Amino acid sequence: MFKELKREAYEANVALPRHGLINLTFGNASAIDRSKAVFAIKPSGVDYVALKPDDMVIVDLEGRTVEGTLNPSSDTPTHRRLFLAFTAIGGVVHTHSSYATAFAQAGRPIPIFGTTHADYFSGEVPVTRKMTPEEVVGPYEWETGAVIVERMRSLKAEDCPGILVNRHAPFAWGPTAAKAVESAVAIECIAHMAFVSLQLAPGLTPIESELLNKHFKRKHGPGAYYGQAGR
Amino acid sequence: MFKELKREAYEANVALPRHGLINLTFGNASAIDRSKAVFAIKPSGVDYVALKPDDMVIVDLEGRTVEGTLNPSSDTPTHRRLFLAFTAIGGVVHTHSSYATAFAQAGRPIPIFGTTHADYFSGEVPVTRKMTPEEVVGPYEWETGAVIVERMRSLKAEDCPGILVNRHAPFAWGPTAAKAVESAVAIECIAHMAFVSLQLAPGLTPIESELLNKHFKRKHGPGAYYGQAGR
Amino acid sequence: MFKELKREAYEANVALPRHGLINLTFGNASAIDRSKAVFAIKPSGVDYVALKPDDMVIVDLEGRTVEGTLNPSSDTPTHRRLFLAFTAIGGVVHTHSSYATAFAQAGRPIPIFGTTHADYFSGEVPVTRKMTPEEVVGPYEWETGAVIVERMRSLKAEDCPGILVNRHAPFAWGPTAAKAVESAVAIECIAHMAFVSLQLAPGLTPIESELLNKHFKRKHGPGAYYGQAGR
Amino acid sequence: MFKELKREAYEANVALPRHGLINLTFGNASAIDRSKAVFAIKPSGVDYVALKPDDMVIVDLEGRTVEGTLNPSSDTPTHRRLFLAFTAIGGVVHTHSSYATAFAQAGRPIPIFGTTHADYFSGEVPVTRKMTPEEVVGPYEWETGAVIVERMRSLKAEDCPGILVNRHAPFAWGPTAAKAVESAVAIECIAHMAFVSLQLAPGLTPIESELLNKHFKRKHGPGAYYGQAGR
């Protein structure tokens, strides 16, 4: 059962250490099957080298384990919150990649300084507000999803495929789990570049809006001409 | 048809992730056959691990696809502009390598601080002016090539085998596609070193002209004695 | 004899270069068998690629070599001091990993800025006081252990699985040698992130206590729900 | 002829990219046979992946090629100058490793901040004076060796197994070519750590002399007890 979904989630999970986004057992990826209202997610605290497709845990949108013998990731309620709020996304990825996490720890969004960033995001990579003590001691992982959704209220998930949780680390998403991995790679990459740019030019202003729009729309939306979609 | 040319472009493209210059599908390389006035270039948005020599797209100097079933790189007009302007070059490479892109985002040339840099460039790695809104909303990729050519007006392509496009990223070139890859590797490497040198010594002045000339001419031009050319 | 213990120590040692924590022959790992009051440790100055399980040296808690034909690591007395003081630990790891060592050289603890850090430590990664000239010219490696134990007096080894020795480098520990390696990986990772966060926000304050406690207790102690322990 | 010597030089050369010290064809290593007064050195501009032991060029101490069909490294006169001045060394390595080169470009020695550094050097990693225009336009590579020897006048080659050439990059040496590689690895590693320490603590003072001496003498000289030498 759910063999294809488990494989999609598995492939996304093992891609994370391959892209240098993950140390130890940090981070996790999930993939959703909207027609069945379930998602597959990494089991909690299992080493990536030992991971098998069948270890993926199937969870429904009420948070119940539907299939699997291992505990799902402790971050499962955050994934669930995001799948409920962003109805067009197909996968969620959470990493503690170094430069993106450094921005998250500092409570700073990643400013949009160039076209690498604009190829993926139509603006800065936002950062959530800090969570309140009540949210932290309450159903923490669900509330983590809730502050993400709150910060995204004025943004579209397809224009902003990821966010930094304050004091924590990035979450990313996309139309598929593989695309969510791509968003997570992009976030780390642009965080590194933004850090270096800021060291070189502390008062650097964001990219000009025409160039931002050009690059973002070259890859996204009805006029996109990047890739092989038009063939 | 164009089997050798496709292979040259293919080898240059797959060298990019191997040298750590490329994440995801960023970047592209091309190789030109001047006798046939066509160049081979990476297809748009195809993953490097899936790439095959036969996927390369053959484009002529008017920008028409001559052979190939995939869309050529969206940056094809930039490559074409450079092949038209710099008649001695045989290959063009575009990357979003981290440190070089950070300088590009900051709108700063890479200062020439040492012999590593002088082994490849006879001066700083220049940065283009910002593109105007008109250029950006117009034929953007062609105009990208045009601002490069404009900035290079006072420079020779063989003395300056690459440039930073403001807010964007580096483009590099060379007498062959393999040499263009080498230029791209050198640009990232010297960007990293220049960044660290600037952190250590914020007001650092450029390398002395005799040492610059010595290293550049040791490798380039009629008196070069580096390598095996004289055997 | 001690075949299993040697293997545990061996596995921990060879994991160090694999995690990028070790250059050359820097660093070492050990594993203790409390029932026999002996520990297995890396031989001194042997290259990691040449290392075999049988090269591990078995040393007792009085510091005598019990089995093995090679000299044990010159840092053996430090490991021994830690095994004597922290009676619940099963392994010790010493590295010269770059960012953690940079904090140690600067005599600065690693501030706790985010949840990555709080997943492993219930506070900052402490730094010892500088050693006195007498301690240095005396039984140096034993005294190194002693300043660690002194700095840990107000802390529990399970809440603080590692430390920076001033002017020197990190030591880490855990319930097993494999967990000590994990602590060492975490220390390097959070040192890198803290460094970048400090560059982005020089006056950054530590993580809020509720979030710190939440993350630390999610993974440690009676209420822990991370991983597969509850199954 | 010189089969063993060529192999030693070959092994040292191919170790350089494996340790991440080399990009492209930057850098070179040599090994000397004092009894025959010849050394083996990398051919000029040959790619490391294509290099074979038999490609090594045998050069005598007057600078004449004794065996080999390729041009020796353009830096051969620098190696020769060092072999003549430092009569106890068995190998020389030149790299453009990133952090060490960044210090060289900035004209700054690498300060000795911790025990990692003191394990290899009994003081800072020195930097030469800048070369004069006359030296640069003269027999440049020989003069490069001469400014190294000049700076080393008050130092012993065994206490200081490497140096930064101002505006250029590091040279390292040791009793064997393999040990010279180790010195080059250490220089890059301590340059990185010193850079980060300086960012964390701009006015940081050098390591205390007792600790410096302890670590240096633990590994070097008659009282050394690191490694397996005493068995």
Side-chain angles (χ1 to χ4, degrees):
Chain A
M1 282 280 287
F2 307 112
K3 194 160 175 174
E4 206 35 60
L5 189 64
K6 284 179 181 175
R7 174 153 296 278
E8 187 189 351
Y10 167 79
E11 297 290 356
N13 274 292
V14 295
L16 301 179
R18 202 172 60 226
H19 282 293
L21 299 180
I22 295 274
N23 275 314
L24 304 171
T25 60
F26 304 170
N28 37 69
S30 64
I32 193 166
D33 181 335
R34 294 278 175 189
S35 71
K36 296 185 181 123
V38 296
F39 58 98
I41 192 164
K42 182 174 176 287
S44 184
V46 173
D47 201 327
Y48 285 90
V49 290
L51 210 61
K52 296 186 301 295
D54 251 1
D55 293 338
M56 298 298 115
V57 185
I58 303 293
V59 180
D60 71 17
L61 286 171
E62 282 74 48
R64 290 170 301 218
T65 294
V66 172
E67 193 181 293
T69 55
L70 296 166
N71 292 331
S73 166
S74 53
D75 294 316
T76 299
T78 315
H79 289 243
R80 186 162 71 88
R81 188 72 194 82
L82 300 181
F83 282 129
L84 288 168
F86 310 145
T87 51
I89 67 174
V92 171
V93 165
H94 172 44
T95 80
H96 286 232
S97 66
S98 301
Y99 286 91
T101 301
F103 274 88
Q105 292 190 150
R108 286 182 69 160
I110 306 173
I112 182 162
F113 288 141
T115 63
T116 321
H117 189 138
D119 281 337
Y120 290 90
F121 282 77
S122 72
E124 66 180 17
V125 180
V127 62
T128 68
R129 65 165 171 81
K130 288 188 187 176
M131 294 173 73
T132 65
E134 291 70 34
E135 287 165 341
V136 170
V137 300
Y140 169 66
E141 291 82 4
W142 176 262
E143 297 291 357
T144 299
V147 291
I148 294 173
V149 173
E150 178 188 317
R151 178 66 189 81
M152 290 291 297
R153 211 166 285 159
S154 57
L155 297 162
K156 289 188 202 159
E158 61 265 40
D159 294 352
C160 178
I163 200 167
L164 307 178
V165 176
N166 208 310
R167 292 295 197 185
H168 190 155
F171 281 81
W173 47 82
T176 62
K179 284 285 178 190
V181 171
E182 199 176 319
S183 305
V185 172
I187 290 170
E188 178 61 8
C189 184
I190 62 186
H192 185 205
M193 289 173 181
F195 169 68
V196 178
S197 291
L198 279 169
Q199 300 286 104
L200 288 169
L204 190 61
T205 52
I207 191 173
E208 292 65 32
S209 58
E210 292 83 8
L211 188 55
L212 193 175
N213 290 334
K214 177 68 190 179
H215 266 265
F216 190 73
K217 292 183 178 158
R218 200 165 83 137
K219 279 189 129 175
H220 304 91
Y225 56 94
Y226 179 93
Q228 302 299 331
R231 306 294 302 184
Chain B
M1 279 285 285
F2 307 111
K3 194 162 175 173
E4 205 36 58
L5 189 64
K6 283 179 180 175
R7 174 153 296 275
E8 187 189 352
Y10 167 78
E11 297 290 356
N13 274 291
V14 295
L16 301 179
R18 202 172 60 226
H19 282 292
L21 299 179
I22 296 275
N23 275 314
L24 304 171
T25 61
F26 304 171
N28 38 69
S30 64
I32 194 166
D33 181 335
R34 293 277 176 189
S35 71
K36 297 188 180 117
V38 296
F39 59 98
I41 192 163
K42 182 174 177 285
S44 185
V46 173
D47 202 327
Y48 285 90
V49 291
L51 210 61
K52 295 185 302 293
D54 251 2
D55 293 337
M56 297 300 114
V57 185
I58 304 291
V59 179
D60 70 19
L61 285 171
E62 282 74 48
R64 291 169 301 217
T65 294
V66 172
E67 193 180 293
T69 55
L70 297 166
N71 292 331
S73 166
S74 54
D75 295 316
T76 299
T78 315
H79 290 243
R80 186 162 71 88
R81 188 72 194 83
L82 299 182
F83 282 128
L84 288 168
F86 309 144
T87 51
I89 67 174
V92 171
V93 165
H94 173 44
T95 80
H96 286 233
S97 66
S98 301
Y99 287 91
T101 302
F103 274 89
Q105 292 190 152
R108 284 183 69 161
I110 307 173
I112 181 161
F113 288 140
T115 63
T116 320
H117 189 138
D119 281 337
Y120 290 91
F121 282 77
S122 72
E124 66 181 17
V125 181
V127 62
T128 69
R129 64 167 170 79
K130 288 187 187 176
M131 294 174 72
T132 65
E134 291 70 32
E135 288 165 340
V136 169
V137 299
Y140 169 66
E141 291 82 3
W142 175 262
E143 297 291 356
T144 299
V147 291
I148 294 174
V149 173
E150 177 188 317
R151 178 67 188 81
M152 290 291 296
R153 210 165 287 160
S154 57
L155 297 162
K156 289 187 200 159
E158 60 266 39
D159 295 350
C160 178
I163 200 167
L164 307 178
V165 176
N166 208 310
R167 291 295 197 188
H168 190 158
F171 281 82
W173 47 82
T176 62
K179 285 284 178 189
V181 171
E182 199 176 320
S183 306
V185 173
I187 290 170
E188 178 61 8
C189 185
I190 62 186
H192 184 205
M193 289 173 182
F195 169 68
V196 178
S197 291
L198 278 169
Q199 300 287 104
L200 288 169
L204 190 62
T205 52
I207 191 172
E208 293 65 32
S209 58
E210 292 83 8
L211 188 55
L212 193 174
N213 289 335
K214 176 69 191 180
H215 265 265
F216 189 72
K217 292 183 178 160
R218 200 164 83 138
K219 279 188 128 175
H220 305 91
Y225 57 94
Y226 179 93
Q228 302 298 333
R231 307 289 306 181
Chain C
M1 282 282 286
F2 307 111
K3 194 160 176 174
E4 206 35 60
L5 189 64
K6 284 178 179 175
R7 175 153 294 278
E8 187 189 351
Y10 167 78
E11 296 291 356
N13 274 292
V14 296
L16 301 179
R18 202 172 61 226
H19 282 293
L21 299 180
I22 295 274
N23 274 315
L24 304 172
T25 60
F26 304 171
N28 38 68
S30 64
I32 194 165
D33 182 336
R34 292 277 176 190
S35 71
K36 296 187 181 120
V38 296
F39 60 98
I41 192 163
K42 183 174 177 286
S44 185
V46 173
D47 202 327
Y48 284 91
V49 290
L51 211 60
K52 297 184 301 293
D54 251 2
D55 294 337
M56 298 298 116
V57 186
I58 303 292
V59 179
D60 71 17
L61 286 172
E62 282 74 48
R64 291 171 301 218
T65 294
V66 171
E67 193 180 294
T69 54
L70 296 166
N71 293 330
S73 166
S74 52
D75 294 316
T76 299
T78 314
H79 290 244
R80 186 161 71 88
R81 188 73 194 82
L82 300 182
F83 281 130
L84 287 169
F86 309 145
T87 52
I89 67 174
V92 171
V93 165
H94 172 46
T95 81
H96 285 232
S97 66
S98 301
Y99 287 92
T101 301
F103 274 88
Q105 292 190 151
R108 285 183 69 161
I110 308 173
I112 181 161
F113 287 141
T115 63
T116 321
H117 189 139
D119 280 339
Y120 290 91
F121 282 77
S122 72
E124 65 180 18
V125 181
V127 63
T128 68
R129 64 166 172 80
K130 289 188 186 175
M131 294 173 73
T132 65
E134 291 71 32
E135 288 166 341
V136 170
V137 299
Y140 169 66
E141 291 82 3
W142 175 262
E143 297 291 357
T144 299
V147 292
I148 294 174
V149 173
E150 177 188 316
R151 178 68 188 81
M152 290 292 295
R153 212 165 285 159
S154 58
L155 298 163
K156 289 189 201 156
E158 60 265 39
D159 294 353
C160 179
I163 200 167
L164 306 178
V165 176
N166 208 310
R167 292 295 196 186
H168 191 156
F171 280 81
W173 47 82
T176 62
K179 284 286 178 188
V181 171
E182 199 176 319
S183 305
V185 173
I187 290 170
E188 178 61 8
C189 185
I190 63 186
H192 185 205
M193 290 172 180
F195 169 69
V196 178
S197 291
L198 279 169
Q199 300 287 105
L200 288 168
L204 190 61
T205 52
I207 191 173
E208 293 64 33
S209 58
E210 292 83 10
L211 188 54
L212 192 175
N213 290 335
K214 176 68 190 178
H215 265 265
F216 189 72
K217 292 183 178 159
R218 200 164 82 138
K219 280 190 130 176
H220 304 90
Y225 57 94
Y226 180 93
Q228 302 298 331
R231 306 294 299 187
Chain D
M1 281 283 286
F2 308 111
K3 195 161 176 172
E4 205 37 57
L5 189 65
K6 283 179 180 174
R7 175 153 295 276
E8 187 189 352
Y10 168 78
E11 296 290 355
N13 274 292
V14 295
L16 300 179
R18 202 172 61 227
H19 281 292
L21 299 179
I22 296 274
N23 275 314
L24 304 170
T25 61
F26 304 171
N28 38 69
S30 64
I32 194 166
D33 182 335
R34 292 278 176 189
S35 71
K36 298 189 180 116
V38 297
F39 59 98
I41 191 163
K42 182 174 177 285
S44 185
V46 172
D47 202 325
Y48 285 90
V49 291
L51 210 60
K52 295 184 301 293
D54 251 2
D55 293 338
M56 298 299 115
V57 185
I58 303 291
V59 179
D60 70 17
L61 286 171
E62 282 74 49
R64 290 170 301 218
T65 294
V66 171
E67 193 181 292
T69 55
L70 297 167
N71 292 331
S73 165
S74 53
D75 294 316
T76 299
T78 314
H79 290 244
R80 186 162 71 88
R81 188 73 194 81
L82 300 182
F83 281 130
L84 288 169
F86 309 144
T87 51
I89 67 173
V92 171
V93 164
H94 172 46
T95 81
H96 286 233
S97 66
S98 301
Y99 287 92
T101 302
F103 274 89
Q105 292 190 152
R108 284 183 69 162
I110 308 172
I112 180 161
F113 288 141
T115 63
T116 321
H117 189 138
D119 281 337
Y120 290 91
F121 282 78
S122 71
E124 66 181 19
V125 181
V127 63
T128 69
R129 64 168 170 79
K130 288 187 185 175
M131 294 173 73
T132 64
E134 291 71 32
E135 288 166 339
V136 169
V137 299
Y140 169 66
E141 291 83 3
W142 175 261
E143 297 291 356
T144 299
V147 292
I148 294 174
V149 173
E150 177 187 317
R151 179 66 188 83
M152 289 292 294
R153 211 165 287 160
S154 57
L155 297 163
K156 289 188 202 158
E158 59 266 39
D159 294 352
C160 178
I163 201 167
L164 307 178
V165 176
N166 208 309
R167 291 296 196 187
H168 190 157
F171 281 82
W173 47 82
T176 62
K179 284 285 177 188
V181 172
E182 200 176 320
S183 305
V185 173
I187 290 170
E188 178 62 8
C189 185
I190 63 186
H192 184 205
M193 289 173 182
F195 169 69
V196 177
S197 291
L198 279 168
Q199 300 287 104
L200 288 168
L204 189 61
T205 52
I207 191 173
E208 293 65 32
S209 58
E210 292 83 9
L211 188 55
L212 192 174
N213 290 335
K214 176 70 190 177
H215 265 265
F216 189 72
K217 292 182 178 160
R218 201 164 83 138
K219 280 189 128 175
H220 305 90
Y225 57 94
Y226 179 93
Q228 302 298 332
R231 306 286 311 180

